Amino acid sequence: MFVASPAERLEEFYNLLRMYKLNIAWPVYSAGALVPIYTEEQLLIQKLIGNGGIVEVSTLKKQNEQLQVVNGPLLGLDHIIKKVSPKNRRIMVEVTVLDEKKKIELEGVFVT
């Protein structure tokens, strides 16, 4: 879940969470400062983790030498896949968060 707050009130919001010892949110820091994340980043993260807060397994297949996501959270996100390892059931994706490219390893099932 994401909580929206005006950028100028992020620090105040974070202090309220700490004051009431609410461990319901993780602030995003960049260069030691509390920063907002972009809507596109939020939407991508929500798509990957779904409603349960856990990244589910994606199913992939190779068709005409092209990798295709059949179902799972990576459906429609073929463009972020950078590397696959069918043997280890791993998919390396690259996402941009806070203007930095991050590599994330996810689980994938490969079908024929």
Side-chain angles (χ1 to χ4, degrees), residues 26-83:
W26 292 276
V28 178
Y29 283 94
S30 180
L34 195 59
V35 295
I37 65 168
Y38 300 111
T39 302
E40 303 83 34
E41 296 168 348
Q42 176 184 342
L43 293 173
L44 175 62
I45 292 167
Q46 285 177 313
K47 180 172 173 53
L48 289 174
I49 64 172
N51 293 331
I54 298 171
V55 179
E56 299 293 331
V57 177
S58 290
T59 303
L60 296 94
K61 71 176 180 178
K62 211 168 204 178
Q63 186 173 14
N64 299 330
E65 297 302 313
Q66 195 80 351
L67 193 62
Q68 179 184 16
V69 179
V70 178
N71 66 28
L74 290 175
L75 187 63
L77 298 174
D78 304 57
H79 62 283
I80 69 170
I81 298 174
K82 298 301 174 192
K83 185 178 171 184

Side-chain angles (χ1 to χ4, degrees), residues 1-10 13 25 36-37 39 42 46:
M1 172 172 38
F2 287 87
V3 176
S5 172
E8 62 274 2
R9 299 198 64 195
L10 280 175
F13 174 71
I37 65 168
T39 302
Q42 176 184 342
Q46 285 177 313

